[in-house]
Each structure stands twice: as structure tokens, then as C-alpha cells.
Amino acid sequence: MEITIFTIVIVVLAVIILMRGVVIVPQGYQYTVERFGKYVKSLEPGFSVLVPVMEQVGRRVNMMEQVLDVPSQEVITKDNALVKVDGVVFYQVLNAAKASYEVSGLKNAIMALTQTNIRTVMGSLDLDELLSKRDEINARLLAVVDEATEPWGVKVTRIEIKDITPPADLVESMGRQMKAERDKRALVLEAEGAKQSAVLRAEGARQAAILEAEGKRQAQILEAEASKQAAFLAAEARERQAEAEARATNLVSDAIAKGGVQAINYFVATRYTEALEKMASAGNHKIIMMPLEASNVIGALGGIAKLAQETFKE
């Protein structure tokens, strides 16, 4: 009976020892293996077997990207402004052995390193630069902290400054400054608009004056052209009248040369009769005094009749 109990105990202890040698590593983790307290290897995710008693799991390291909150701290800027700053750090363990044995308290080390560099980087900038160059600050912090954590087998993937809180009186001053700047921009835009409006009005007036002058010039050109055309037509009419008069004079001269005194009497009588007709047709004459001898008119008419008789006889 005693042998049976002893055998059972031995079997149970052997099973327990064997079970302790079986290790299952979950996805996203690596386990370090220590042999008599010394690091031997790292176990990848999956099923692994250790040598019982001699080997054991040392550290269980999370290999996934992790987020570390950086608590708020006060920073004095280059222009002596006191601001409160907080942020977050994204990091990932690349080497489980270094992260386990090269540094004690990995998270605390990364936290302290980040806070120190935040004070260093942001303390070298003015408040205006601090508020306007957040991306540049993040880049500088990432470069410094990532380089410092490389010996620990850690890759810092991102550092983000979440909030920058200036003092209340400084925020009020910044609000007044922003309002003044906006009022200034509004006045500048209003003045620019008035300037543009004045320029456009002046340009419109100039264009109107140019068009008006052009219209007057065209009118003067057309008027001069019309006057020139009228003068040409009048000259042509006078020329034709002169030609007609010259032709008539030639005809009369020929008639005188051929008809003698009767032609002269005809010409004189015609002119005389035309003059009497004009005097009689005037609207401002009621009574016409004619101190003329009737015999002269009768003689002239007789000359006309005789001339006509001779002409028709021929």
C-alpha cells in the first residue's frame, strides 16, 4: 500500500514538472527563457517546451504597439511664459531581451525621458512658436526620444502634444490681440475695397470721356465730310450753271450774229419781262410804280414777234 502511494506521488510530481516545461505563448507576446537565472532565448508565439527545473520563463513582453499617457507638466518658454503641457507616446518593443534586461521599468523610463525632452524642446521656443509649430515640436521630440530608446530595443513611433494651456491672463491678452488683429484686417479690407471702387469709378469715367471724345471726333469728321460733299455739290452746281449760262450766252451770241437787231431785242425783252415778273411776285408790294415808256416795251415785243416770224419762216 505504501509503495502504491509513493508511486502515485512520484507520477504526480513528474506530471507537474513536465507540465511546467510546456509553455504556450499568445500572439503579440514574446517570453524570455532563463536557465539558472541567465537569459538563454526568447519564445515566439505558439507552443514551446522548456527543460524542467533548469529553464523557466523570465519576462512576458508585449510586442504590440502601446500607448503611454504623458501627464500634464508646467513648462517655461523662452520668453518666460508658464504653460501646462501633456501628450501621448506610441512605442513598440522590437527586442524582448533588451527591453527586459537593458532597462529596469521600461514604461517609467520612457515616461521620464519624454517629460525631460518636452521641457527641453518646448523651453527653447517662444510662446507664439509653441502654439503655431506643434508639428515641428512633435518631430523634434520623436527624433530625440526614439534615439534614446534604441538601446532598449524599443521603437518610438509617434509623440503627440495633446494640449498646451497658457495662463488665464495670457489667454485673455491673446484674445485681445487676436481681436485687434481681426479689426485691423477688416479695416485693411474695407480700405482696399474703397480703393478698388474708386479705381473702377475713375476707370469708368475715363472710358466714358474717351468714348464721348471719340463720338465728338467722329461727328466732326462726318460733319466735315458732309460739308465737303455739300461744297463739292454746290461747286458742281455752280459749274453746271456757269456752263449753262456760257452755253446760253453762246447761243444768244450766235443768234445776234445771225438775227441782227431782232435777236438783241429778244434778249433784252426777255430779261426785262423776267425782272417785271419778280417785282410783281414780291409779297411786300401792293402798288408798283412803273415810270416806263410803253412804246419801248411794245417795240421790244414787236421785235420778239418779228424774230419769231423770221425763225419759223426759215
Side-chain angles (χ1 to χ4, degrees):
M1 186 69 179
E2 292 180 358
I3 297 175
T4 304
I5 296 174
F6 180 75
T7 304
I8 294 173
V9 171
I10 295 298
V11 171
V12 170
L13 289 176
V15 171
I16 293 174
I17 292 172
L18 290 175
M19 291 297 295
R20 291 188 62 182
V22 176
V23 179
I24 298 176
V25 181
Q27 184 66 38
Y29 284 81
Q30 285 187 8
Y31 291 176
T32 62
V33 178
E34 298 176 357
R35 182 178 299 166
F36 299 116
K38 182 179 179 181
Y39 170 76
V40 177
K41 61 182 178 179
S42 297
L43 299 180
E44 298 290 335
F47 179 83
S48 301
V49 178
L50 303 181
V51 178
V53 180
M54 296 178 59
E55 296 179 346
Q56 61 181 358
V57 175
R59 302 284 191 277
R60 293 172 172 82
V61 182
N62 187 346
M63 305 299 292
M64 296 179 288
E65 187 172 5
Q66 303 177 65
V67 181
L68 186 63
D69 285 325
V70 179
S72 178
Q73 61 176 332
E74 293 183 346
V75 177
I76 299 177
T77 62
K78 186 178 180 180
D79 52 353
N80 296 323
L82 184 64
V83 296
K84 289 184 177 181
V85 182
D86 58 2
V88 291
V89 180
F90 296 83
Y91 71 95
Q92 184 177 11
V93 177
L94 301 180
N95 191 312
K98 290 184 177 181
S100 301
Y101 304 107
E102 295 292 337
V103 60
S104 177
L106 179 63
K107 290 186 177 180
N108 292 333
I110 295 176
M111 177 76 69
L113 185 63
T114 303
Q115 288 181 322
T116 302
N117 283 280
I118 285 176
R119 289 193 295 269
T120 302
V121 172
M122 301 184 73
S124 63
L125 301 174
D126 294 333
L127 180 61
D128 292 338
E129 295 177 334
L130 203 66
L131 298 175
S132 61
K133 297 181 178 181
R134 186 169 298 191
D135 292 338
E136 181 179 341
I137 294 172
N138 293 337
R140 290 177 60 181
L141 286 173
L142 178 61
V144 174
V145 176
D146 183 49
E147 183 180 0
T149 57
E150 185 178 359
W152 303 340
V154 175
K155 173 66 177 179
V156 178
T157 58
R158 188 184 309 171
I159 296 180
E160 296 287 342
I161 299 299
K162 292 196 301 184
D163 193 17
I164 300 175
T165 307
D169 56 345
L170 189 57
V171 173
E172 183 179 357
S173 299
M174 291 171 63
R176 291 197 302 268
Q177 180 182 0
M178 184 180 299
K179 184 177 183 299
E181 185 67 24
R182 290 179 177 175
D183 292 340
K184 175 184 175 182
R185 287 201 298 266
L187 292 175
V188 170
L189 291 175
E190 183 178 357
E192 187 68 23
K195 176 184 175 182
Q196 291 292 334
S197 177
V199 169
L200 292 176
R201 286 198 298 269
E203 184 67 21
R206 187 176 75 88
Q207 291 292 336
I210 291 174
L211 292 176
E212 183 179 0
E214 186 67 22
K216 290 182 178 179
R217 177 174 170 271
Q218 291 293 334
Q220 291 175 357
I221 291 174
L222 294 175
E223 185 178 357
E225 188 68 24
S227 299
K228 178 181 177 182
Q229 189 70 18
F232 177 75
L233 293 176
E236 186 177 0
R238 287 194 299 271
E239 182 180 355
R240 291 181 179 178
Q241 183 180 2
E243 291 178 356
E245 291 179 355
R247 190 178 296 122
T249 302
N250 290 332
L251 293 174
V252 171
S253 298
D254 293 340
I256 292 174
K258 294 179 180 180
V261 180
Q262 288 82 0
I264 296 175
N265 290 333
Y266 170 75
F267 181 74
V268 173
T270 301
R271 295 297 185 182
Y272 193 79
T273 304
E274 291 175 357
L276 289 177
E277 182 179 359
K278 291 181 180 180
M279 292 176 62
S281 63
N284 56 355
H285 291 83
K286 300 300 182 180
I287 299 174
I288 300 174
M289 303 299 295
M290 297 180 62
L292 301 173
E293 296 182 358
S295 59
N296 293 334
V297 177
I298 294 171
L301 295 175
I304 295 172
K306 188 175 181 180
L307 180 60
Q309 291 175 359
E310 292 180 356
T311 301
F312 290 120
K313 186 183 294 185
E314 297 178 358

